[in-house]
Amino acid sequence: MQTGRLMVAACAGIAVLVLHQASLAAGKIKGSAGGIERGASVISRDGTLRGWTVTGPSGLYEFTGLQAGEYLMLINGIIVPNVRVLDGRTTVVDQADQPELSFEQELWTPGRVSFAQSFVATGTAVTGFSLWRASGDGPLRVSLYEDSPTGKRVAGPVETGPMTWICWTGLPADQFVTTPGRKYALELAAADGKPWNHSTPRRGDVYPDGIAWFDGVAHTETDLGIAIFEQHPGLRRIAEAGNDLHYIPTGPGSGTCTVAGQTFIANAPNLVRANANCGFNDAAQHFIFTIHEGGPDGAQVGPACRTRMVPNWGTEAMWFSDAVSLKPGRQYYLQYRRADGKPFFSYLSSNEYKEGRAYRDNKMLDERFDQLFGIDGEEEPGGVIYPHNVKATDITGTTARITWESGTAGDGLVHYGTTRQLAGVTGSREERRATHSVELKGLQPGTLYLYRASSDTYKRSSLRMYSRIYSLMTLPVGNDRPRYDRPLAGAEPPRCEDCLAIVNPGFEEGTRGWTRLARAGRPREPERYRPQCEPFGDAVEGTDGYLPHSGRRLYGWSCFGRDDPAWTEPREDWKREITYQRIAVQPDREYVLKAWILTGDRGSGWGRDSRVRLAVDERDAGLLERFD
């Protein structure tokens, strides 16, 4: 029988893997800032800016060459405190959207006069709610009860204005006070006493610890389609003036300076962040922020902070929690200037902050203006926390261990599940640690789980902070066969005991036996098209802690982005990569090509997508060499 030849390949779009490499003398911080034009910066304890970027379409960033020690980060506006960097190690800090209710609407309850939703409070007060109302347009009477509508009334009734269809209203936080961890019920009753229709979510359990009530009757199978807004402590706003007057070419408030400043009265024991905005005829520039006692001539409090200012966007300076101590009730002075000493225009605000005044070149403006600025502190220092370096390890068929760091000592919870609702919660609320390890038990084998970590310091200015959502796959048991999103059409091919093996299928020897090709950009746009696009590499683990399915290594490629020294930033990323080899086959025989493939395309920005396929050139016609 004549022997033919067959070409097999694994081709992919974008995947993110940890590449095997020798240890470096210095450490690294990298991660995802969440999308295009997201800021990421890292500052050392002495206030020196060690890394700064505005991300491209992938949202990825990377700061290398960092000395071992603790750093402070700002990633997409969120403070990440006390980030540890070790020699030769990589610390991963990802931006995370904090969880909020999101549900499909336009499903309606029967008509009732009153509705209520029970929930477990996470904040210190209920500040408002939003809903869809299919019928009725009059005011609602709002009350808050302990546990359920049959419990003790703790606030209300407060009557809203007319509410119809998609509506929102605020509530007086000083009346609707809550205790985190306790169960309450928010009741909405028609002021005119007529029945009306409330929305419900398509999935019933939006509030895992609560239920809906229709005219005082419990409905355990569902929740209301209502978003309840709560007041959380978080950072305390010390002072701000936010009415942006932008650039003023002539008249009051016009003029440039080499030093700008603003006086303010402290109402917190420390300062952790300040922001301002400036204009100048130049690209982003280094600025130096300092805090002084009293005014421009006062003694400096704490270290200076060096950061980068993007004109018209502004910038934020940061300090460690114990770096700038204030005495509430005293006057202080925020000062900022370009590091090169050149002049700039400090954007002003109409007088919104009556306790302070704007300065230019150490002189108070004659007009009643404030700088466009903001200053944040903590009601109780040491409350800021943020989960990072989140990893899944020790994965078996039924268990997995989730580890992370939080910078500040706090509790540790893992929220997990097979859907993004993450209904399962395990961990401890009692322990206070900066490094965390939580074991997940009772998992199903061969199943994809989503998970995120959260921590809280429980200090007066604390706020529970959540990591981004990651994924892990438990190991299969029994017959180790692939799982598919949809059942395969037809029966599986028969088992092939004498099929020809691909040379070096587990990449134990790098890519011996394989040919590699990669192209970046579109052939129709030669300026963005390159026949070869490195890097290639042998991966020893995935970003979520996955190990190769068999053997010691797998073939790995990194995201087409800033790791490529020749990269330019188009609005879309295009990278196509293929690895293939020829094997001997016989006509009229069936062959099976299978592979285990791991991708890491999550949290994508513009232009991100991932396609991973197995392909066969049955006639050895060179099709895979021309995969464009």
Side-chain angles (χ1 to χ4, degrees), residues 133-156:
R133 187 179 184 182
S135 65
D137 56 7
L140 298 177
R141 289 195 177 98
V142 186
S143 301
L144 186 68
Y145 296 86
E146 290 183 348
D147 190 58
S148 73
T150 62
K152 177 184 177 182
R153 191 199 304 260
V154 295

Side-chain angles (χ1 to χ4, degrees), residues 58-81:
S58 70
L60 301 179
Y61 73 91
E62 182 173 304
F63 301 131
T64 60
L66 299 174
Q67 295 181 349
E70 282 191 340
Y71 294 87
L72 185 63
M73 288 196 67
L74 189 69
I75 179 167
N76 194 25
I78 297 176
I79 294 177
V80 186

Side-chain angles (χ1 to χ4, degrees), residues 17-22 30 535-541 555-558:
L17 295 176
V18 179
L19 301 182
H20 181 62
Q21 59 182 354
K30 71 174 186 178
F536 299 104
D538 305 316
V540 295
E541 65 174 329
Y555 177 63
W557 59 97
S558 63

Side-chain angles (χ1 to χ4, degrees), residues 459-502:
K459 295 197 173 182
R460 290 197 302 272
S461 55
S462 69
L463 182 66
R464 178 166 296 279
M465 297 297 291
Y466 296 76
S467 75
R468 61 174 280 196
I469 296 178
Y470 299 91
S471 63
L472 65 88
M473 175 74 79
T474 53
L475 299 181
V477 297
N479 184 22
D480 187 6
R481 58 189 296 271
R483 298 170 60 89
Y484 298 91
D485 293 333
R486 298 178 182 176
L488 293 177
E492 287 191 314
R495 189 174 183 85
C496 184
E497 300 293 345
D498 59 347
C499 285
L500 297 172
I502 296 175

